[in-house]
């Protein structure tokens, strides 16, 4: 039946598709050893078991004696400055080429880096479309989370694995579609048709002219469900059944923290995050001792603080696999130069000889056509 009010839609707007339904608690069985870890759906990190045998105490780190690094030459400073200026279309390279270097000051600084490589495990119930997998629930006792053997990545490499816990799998009817494999199409509210977009459901256009798009029906087949009124259930992918199981998520993470000794060159510390320095000291053990006897006492104090903090923080809900500490000497040179009567500065830093210019004295306005 056509709408007597021309241009007025006959059909209600589509209802937004709901989010995924949460499986009912009754869908999952009771697995011995997982009662607490799965309370409320799971997902929490599980503390590792205590070692069967106490680990031996870490040994104090050896003291490195070579704390110096060669200064860069004036030729290197000028060459890097010219390369820097040439990389900008709006920079006139005259200051880099013609500027007279009047002073070069070394502000070399130290960076201490502590890396703590950890493994953490968490569990939660999970579901997937059932594809004929064997249901092994209760055929044997499920192993505890930290009893499941897992091959980890190389040391200090972030990685994640998801593992189906053995003997926790069972197949259940899909809770989203009531095991039908289909759900009503939310685009057309399950009717299979939608109001014609040309005549807005009236069947007429431009007065009394019949709508040729829908042949005066005022409606056309829904393009999302092809006129069926239903779509495949997104939860079970039309399989009608779900495989439920406990998922073990294993995360390996390299927790890195830096301390940079303060230097008064004027170069901001965050510029140093992308460069490397000369490695003065490096060692790795299961559990580290802080670095003692370093020429700069603030670095030794930072090492002591960070080592204690990492060992206390990461041993609660994860297993510390290895720690590594590194001391780098990062070269920083403050270059003062004179150009056209003005005094200016730039910095060259890191093994890469990166350049930082706070205020380049010869720039122009560029426009991109």
């Amino acid at each position: 039946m056509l709408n007597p009010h021309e241009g007025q839609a006959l059909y209600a707007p589509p209802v937004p598709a709901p989010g995924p339904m949460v499986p009912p608690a009754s869908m999952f069985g009771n697995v011995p050893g997982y009662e607490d870890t799965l309370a409320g759906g799971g997902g929490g990190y599980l503390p590792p078991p205590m070692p069967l045998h106490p680990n031996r105490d870490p040994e104090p780190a050896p003291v490195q004696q070579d704390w110096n690094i060669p200064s860069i030459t004036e030729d290197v400073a000028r060459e890097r400055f010219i390369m820097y200026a040439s990389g900008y279309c709006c920079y006139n390279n005259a200051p880099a080429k013609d500027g007279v270097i009047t002073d070069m000051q070394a502000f070399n600084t130290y960076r201490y880096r502590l890396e703590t490589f950890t493994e953490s495990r968490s569990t939660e119930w999970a579901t997937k479309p059932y594809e004929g997998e064997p249901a092994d629930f209760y055929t044997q006792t499920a192993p505890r989370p930290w009893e499941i053997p897992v091959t980890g990545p190389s040391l200090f490499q972030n990685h994640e694995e998801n593992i189906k816990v053995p003997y926790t799998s069972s197949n259940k009817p899909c809770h989203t579609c009531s095991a039908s494999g289909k759900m009503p199409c939310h685009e057309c509210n399950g009717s299979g048709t939608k109001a014609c977009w040309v005549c807005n459901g009236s069947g007429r256009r431009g007065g009394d002219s019949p709508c040729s798009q829908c042949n005066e029906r005022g409606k056309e087949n829904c393009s999302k469900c092809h006129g069926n009124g239903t779509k495949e259930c997104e939860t079970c992918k039309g399989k009608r059944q779900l495989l439920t199981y406990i998922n073990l998520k294993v995360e390996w993470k390299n927790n890195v923290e830096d301390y940079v000794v303060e230097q008064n060159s004027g170069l901001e510390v965050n510029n140093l995050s992308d460069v490397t320095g000369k490695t003065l000291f490096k060692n790795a053990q299961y559990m580290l001792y802080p670095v003692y006897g370093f020429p700069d006492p603030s670095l030794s104090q930072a090492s002591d603080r960070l080592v204690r903090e990492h060992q206390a923080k990461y041993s609660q809900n994860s297993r510390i696999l290895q720690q590594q500490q590194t001391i780098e000497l990062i070269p920083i040179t403050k270059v003062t130069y004179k150009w056209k009567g003005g005094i200016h500065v730039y910095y060259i830093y890191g093994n890469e000889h990166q350049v930082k210019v706070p205020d380049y004295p010869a720039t122009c306005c560029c426009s991109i056509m």
Side-chain angles (χ1 to χ4, degrees), residues 41 74 90 106-107 113 122 146-147 199 223 227 230 234 242 254 261 270 305 312 326 338 343 345:
E74 185 174 316
C90 297
F107 288 88
R113 172 167 293 171
S122 61
W146 286 96
E147 295 173 349
C199 66
S223 60
T230 59
E234 294 184 0
L242 294 174
N254 190 29
V261 175
N270 57 8
R305 174 179 57 84
T326 309
K338 186 176 181 180
I343 302 299
V345 300

Side-chain angles (χ1 to χ4, degrees), residues 1-4 8-11 191-205 209-222 226-227:
M1 181 176 179
L2 298 180
N3 188 348
Q8 183 175 348
L10 284 170
Y11 306 99
S191 67
T193 59
K194 295 178 62 178
C196 173
W197 66 273
V198 175
C199 66
N200 201 26
S202 68
R204 317 290 294 180
R205 55 183 298 186
S209 302
C211 178
S212 59
Q213 174 69 22
C214 62
N215 295 323
E216 299 184 77
R217 295 170 59 231
K219 57 185 178 181
E220 54 187 347
N221 285 344
C222 175
H226 307 290

Side-chain angles (χ1 to χ4, degrees), residues 23-275:
S26 59
M27 191 173 185
F28 307 110
N30 183 23
V31 181
Y34 287 84
E35 298 90 350
D36 295 335
T37 59
L38 294 168
Y45 289 106
L46 309 172
M50 294 295 293
L52 294 178
H53 303 285
N55 293 282
R56 67 182 182 89
D57 292 334
E59 299 176 358
V63 177
Q64 172 76 37
Q65 298 298 325
D66 181 13
W67 306 114
N68 298 314
I69 190 169
S71 300
I72 64 171
T73 64
E74 185 174 316
D75 290 340
V76 171
R78 184 180 302 279
E79 177 186 352
R80 297 301 299 181
F81 193 25
I82 292 174
M83 290 177 60
Y84 170 86
S86 300
Y88 291 88
C89 63
C90 297
Y91 281 17
N92 184 328
N93 61 9
K97 288 184 175 180
D98 304 331
V100 179
I101 294 177
T102 59
D103 188 29
M104 292 177 59
Q105 292 179 281
F107 288 88
N108 302 338
T109 191
Y110 303 107
R111 177 169 61 201
Y112 172 81
R113 172 167 293 171
L114 176 63
E115 301 172 75
T116 299
F117 186 55
T118 60
E119 175 187 349
S120 60
R121 299 191 177 196
S122 61
T123 57
E124 62 183 351
W125 279 107
T127 63
K128 66 178 291 293
Y130 180 63
E131 297 177 322
E133 301 94 334
D136 58 6
F137 187 75
Y138 264 138
T139 57
Q140 292 188 39
T141 302
R144 303 296 195 268
W146 286 96
E147 295 173 349
I148 299 173
V150 183
T151 302
S154 300
L155 290 174
F156 306 107
Q157 298 297 315
N158 293 337
H159 188 60
E160 181 178 310
E161 290 278 352
N162 286 280
I163 301 168
K164 185 168 62 178
V165 176
Y167 314 119
T168 64
S169 301
S170 60
N171 59 305
K172 304 283 185 178
C174 179
H175 59 283
T176 301
C177 63
S178 300
S180 67
K182 297 179 179 180
M183 291 292 290
C185 175
H186 293 282
E187 188 70 22
C188 64
N189 299 327
S191 67
T193 59
K194 295 178 62 178
C196 173
W197 66 273
V198 175
C199 66
N200 201 26
S202 68
R204 317 290 294 180
R205 55 183 298 186
D208 294 331
S209 302
C211 178
S212 59
Q213 174 69 22
C214 62
N215 295 323
E216 299 184 77
R217 295 170 59 231
K219 57 185 178 181
E220 54 187 347
N221 285 344
C222 175
S223 60
K224 295 294 183 180
C225 65
H226 307 290
N228 295 321
T230 59
K231 296 179 67 177
E232 179 182 270
C233 174
E234 294 184 0
T235 302
C236 68
K237 305 301 181 185
K239 303 293 184 181
R240 303 185 179 185
Q241 298 282 315
L242 294 174
L243 185 75
T244 67
Y245 59 94
I246 294 177
N247 181 70
L248 172 66
K249 183 170 73 170
V250 186
E251 291 182 272
W252 292 271
K253 185 176 181 181
N254 190 29
N255 304 278
V256 183
E257 203 160 350
D258 290 346
Y259 170 78
V260 178
V261 175
E262 185 177 352
Q263 39 80 27
N264 299 315
S265 67
L267 180 69
E268 295 183 359
V269 171
N270 57 8
N271 289 292
L272 306 179
S273 60
D274 296 329
V275 299

